[in-house]
């Protein structure tokens, strides 16, 4: 096998990195995952995700984790309501009879990010993940790399896979191509116990998801299994809006005042999002990478997931990261390539092609979603979908 006697470092324990670690371990590879979080519980994991037949679910199956997934997914959490700025419901999946099941092409089961991460972590051999390993730099060595961590530790390895997300520290060692700002910013947060802390919006969400759109702006709500509600407020903003706005993001009253002005036509029911004093808001300017990006393959370092091909949220990000993991692990272990470089080169070639196609669709989606016709197009799309 190409990976015989090789030390492999996967940088980043997100869905992409963890899936790759599991798939490589199934083939007997010597893998460590270096993750900056201090431990598995240190960070609140984000909203629910739907996994897709030809990508996320395919990787789960190859990882031998379909039963674990079935035990943790959230049936009916995939039910959407599309509403206007006044809360009028224009499309409602709750009226539908659910017919999909595992094995159907259009079945997209939802799982919270935390349980998905737990399934993947629990499937790894003990001590595969080296927590508290915030990578700050790399040094090239003969036939390998030295990894330098913020805590002063170092590790010497033969092969690095950068799965460290949007602000990857590994990416500059692979390509100088940088992400660019999409023109849209999200304000992201989570309200615990939404039944108590945001009851009207909790009831509107009905345990599923809400897409609210008007005035070239969006508001997405998503009910999580722990009883909390994630929400993302999206609008067109300058790249440095967070500093230029002068808002103190620790002061929810200031954010509320901004919302009242920026979303002036929206119903007062949305103001409930700001009632819970302890909500922490995170500003996320959405970035993407050039659709024609390309780099010469390196023999002992590559990227996957957001580190390789970041896009504004399009419902595919986790699925693409897991599909990268599947293709890369197959190429490195299926015996069809004579050396690691050719295995990586073939993986990167199809990864660039997939990204160009997905990125084009995402750019089109961002254009209509943040246009005056966004709501109308969203409703039409939902109505064309199979049950
Ligand atoms: C608001 C929002 C909503 C989204 N909604 C969806 C959705 O509904 N469906 C979907 O499929 N996708 C969604 N996405 C996209 C999705 O989150 C990403 O595409 C996906 O998480 C990428 O997986 P990854 O494994 O490549 O990276 P990540 O999930 O970003 O994981 C990277 C890991 O690397 C670690 N790390 C980072 N830097 C370092 C370092 N220097 N040293 C060590 N470790 C490091 C991080 O702690 C993290 O654990 C959304 C994104 C956003 C911003």
């Amino acid at each position: 096998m190409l990976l015989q006697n090789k030390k492999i470092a996967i940088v980043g324990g997100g869905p992409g990195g963890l899936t790759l670690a599991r798939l490589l371990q199934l083939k007997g590879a010597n893998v460590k995952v270096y993750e900056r979080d201090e431990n598995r519980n240190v960070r609140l994991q984000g909203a629910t995700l739907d996994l897709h037949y030809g990508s996320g679910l395919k990787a789960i199956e190859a990882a031998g984790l379909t039963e674990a997934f079935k035990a943790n997914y959230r049936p009916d959490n995939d039910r959407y309501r599309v509403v206007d700025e006044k809360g009028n419901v224009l499309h409602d999946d709750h009226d539908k009879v659910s017919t999909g099941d595992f094995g159907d092409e259009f079945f997209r089961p939802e799982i919270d990010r935390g349980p998905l991460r737990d399934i993947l972590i629990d499937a790894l051999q003990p001590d595969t993940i080296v927590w508290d390993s915030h990578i700050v730099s790399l040094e090239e060595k003969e036939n390998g790399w030295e990894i330098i961590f913020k805590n002063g530790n170092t590790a010497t390895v033969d092969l690095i896979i950068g799965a460290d997300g949007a602000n990857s520290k590994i990416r500059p060692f692979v390509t100088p191509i940088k992400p660019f700002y999409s023109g849209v910013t999200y304000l992201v947060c989570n309200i615990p116990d939404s039944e108590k802390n945001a009851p009207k919006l909790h009831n509107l969400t009905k345990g599923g998801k809400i897409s609210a759109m008007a005035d070239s702006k969006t508001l997405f709500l998503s009910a999580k299994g722990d009883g909390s509600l994630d929400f993302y407020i999206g609008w067109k903003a300058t790249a440095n809006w967070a500093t230029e706005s002068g808002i103190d993001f620790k002061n929810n009253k200031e954010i509320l005042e901004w919302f009242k002005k920026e979303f002036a036509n929206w119903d007062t029911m949305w103001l409930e999002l700001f009632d819970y004093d302890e909500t922490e808001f995170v500003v996320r300017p959405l970035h993407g990478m050039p659709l024609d990006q390309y780099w010469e393959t390196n023999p002992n370092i590559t990227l996957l997931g957001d580190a390789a091909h970041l896009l504004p949220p399009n419902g595919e990000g986790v699925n693409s990261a897991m599909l990268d993991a599947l293709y890369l692990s197959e190429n490195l272990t299926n015996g069809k390539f004579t050396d690691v470089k050719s295995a990586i080169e073939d993986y990167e070639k199809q990864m660039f092609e997939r990204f160009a196609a997905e990125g084009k669709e995402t750019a089109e989606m961002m254009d209509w979603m943040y246009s005056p016709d966004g709501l109308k197009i969203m409703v039409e799309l939902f109505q064309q979908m199979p049950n």
Side-chain angles (χ1 to χ4, degrees):
M1 162 162 102
L2 293 181
L3 302 180
Q4 193 101 38
N5 302 322
K6 289 210 189 299
K7 278 196 203 167
I8 304 161
I10 297 172
V11 178
L18 293 173
T19 304
L20 181 66
R22 163 72 176 174
L23 292 168
L24 289 178
Q25 279 188 345
L26 285 176
K27 302 287 181 184
N30 176 5
V31 186
K32 291 274 181 216
V33 177
Y34 294 98
E35 168 56 50
R36 72 178 165 191
D37 287 351
E38 277 171 37
N39 58 60
R40 68 190 284 174
N41 302 318
V42 75
R43 192 157 51 91
L44 183 71
Q45 295 291 311
T48 55
L49 310 155
D50 55 333
L51 292 199
H52 303 174
Y53 176 77
S55 47
L57 289 175
K58 193 171 168 184
I60 285 285
E61 194 179 343
L65 296 173
T66 300
E67 289 313 310
F69 181 87
K70 284 182 180 174
N72 284 279
Y73 88 107
R74 297 183 52 216
D76 289 342
N77 182 245
D78 57 344
R79 289 178 185 261
Y80 270 89
R81 295 180 122 185
V82 182
V83 307
D84 65 14
E85 75 278 21
K86 306 292 181 205
N88 297 309
V89 180
L90 304 181
H91 170 83
D92 196 349
D93 280 344
H94 294 269
D95 299 339
K96 283 187 183 174
V97 180
S98 179
T99 52
D101 205 347
F102 288 88
D104 298 344
E105 193 183 341
F106 296 108
F107 184 56
R108 295 185 160 188
E110 297 270 348
I111 188 165
D112 283 2
R113 198 180 275 256
L116 176 64
R117 195 190 201 205
D118 285 343
I119 291 170
L120 292 165
I121 291 174
D122 292 341
L124 297 175
Q125 291 163 13
D127 301 325
T128 302
I129 305 182
V130 190
W131 298 102
D132 193 16
S133 297
H134 190 157
I135 285 161
V136 284
S137 193
L138 303 180
E139 256 179 45
E140 197 160 5
K141 300 279 168 197
E142 203 187 343
N143 299 323
W145 295 91
E146 183 173 62
I147 308 179
I148 298 134
F149 301 97
K150 198 174 183 178
N151 61 13
N153 291 347
T154 58
T156 305
V157 302
D158 301 298
L159 172 62
I160 295 184
I161 295 108
D164 52 339
N167 301 310
S168 172
K169 289 281 186 300
I170 305 302
R171 184 174 167 97
F173 293 89
V174 174
T175 173
I177 304 168
K178 292 194 169 74
F180 62 88
Y181 177 53
S182 69
V184 172
T185 287
Y186 269 12
L187 196 55
V188 175
C189 68
N190 176 273
I191 305 176
D193 193 358
S194 57
E195 190 169 11
K196 184 170 137 231
N197 296 317
K200 282 188 227 139
L201 294 174
H202 174 89
N203 290 338
L204 186 69
T205 310
K206 268 183 118 174
K209 295 181 182 239
I210 299 273
S211 296
M213 306 173 86
D215 312 330
S216 308
K217 299 182 170 97
T218 59
L219 216 163
F220 299 118
L221 305 183
S222 175
K224 287 175 70 178
D226 61 2
S228 69
L229 195 62
D230 266 4
F231 69 91
Y232 313 143
I233 301 170
W235 76 106
K236 287 183 185 168
T238 56
N240 299 319
W241 173 81
T243 38
E244 287 164 9
S245 70
I247 296 172
D248 171 3
F249 289 94
K250 299 258 177 285
N251 183 339
N252 291 2
K253 300 277 174 297
E254 286 190 25
I255 306 173
L256 170 64
E257 289 314 310
W258 163 80
F259 182 85
K260 282 183 184 166
K261 279 194 208 122
E262 185 73 34
F263 286 69
N265 293 331
W266 290 51
D267 194 86
T268 49
M269 71 182 222
W270 301 108
L271 304 184
E272 198 182 57
L273 292 171
F274 304 88
D275 281 354
Y276 181 65
D277 283 344
E278 285 162 50
T279 301
E280 285 178 25
F281 290 83
V282 178
V283 180
R284 279 189 181 270
L286 304 181
H287 287 77
M289 286 165 181
L291 303 189
D292 59 352
Q293 68 171 352
Y294 168 82
W295 54 81
E296 292 290 333
T297 298
N298 296 282
N300 52 20
I301 186 165
T302 187
L303 303 169
L304 65 68
D306 278 3
H309 46 70
L310 180 66
L311 287 172
N314 60 1
E316 298 287 345
V318 165
N319 289 283
S320 303
M322 294 173 76
L323 191 60
D324 285 348
L326 180 59
Y327 283 144
L328 181 57
S329 67
E330 278 176 353
N331 277 12
L332 289 170
T333 59
N334 63 11
K336 290 188 184 160
F337 297 91
T338 49
D339 52 42
V340 171
K341 185 176 176 190
S342 345
I344 295 178
E345 190 168 22
D346 182 78
Y347 153 75
E348 289 179 345
K349 182 172 175 290
Q350 56 75 24
M351 186 260 286
F352 291 137
E353 284 166 10
R354 268 190 295 128
F355 169 64
E358 190 188 317
K360 185 168 171 288
E361 277 182 24
T362 308
E364 287 164 6
M365 179 197 81
M366 293 296 281
D367 279 350
W368 64 253
M369 207 177 252
Y370 293 93
S371 79
D373 284 338
L375 177 66
K376 183 173 153 274
I377 297 172
M378 186 69 127
V379 171
E380 283 167 6
L381 284 177
F382 268 101
Q383 287 174 350
Q384 286 160 15
M385 276 185 192
N387 271 349

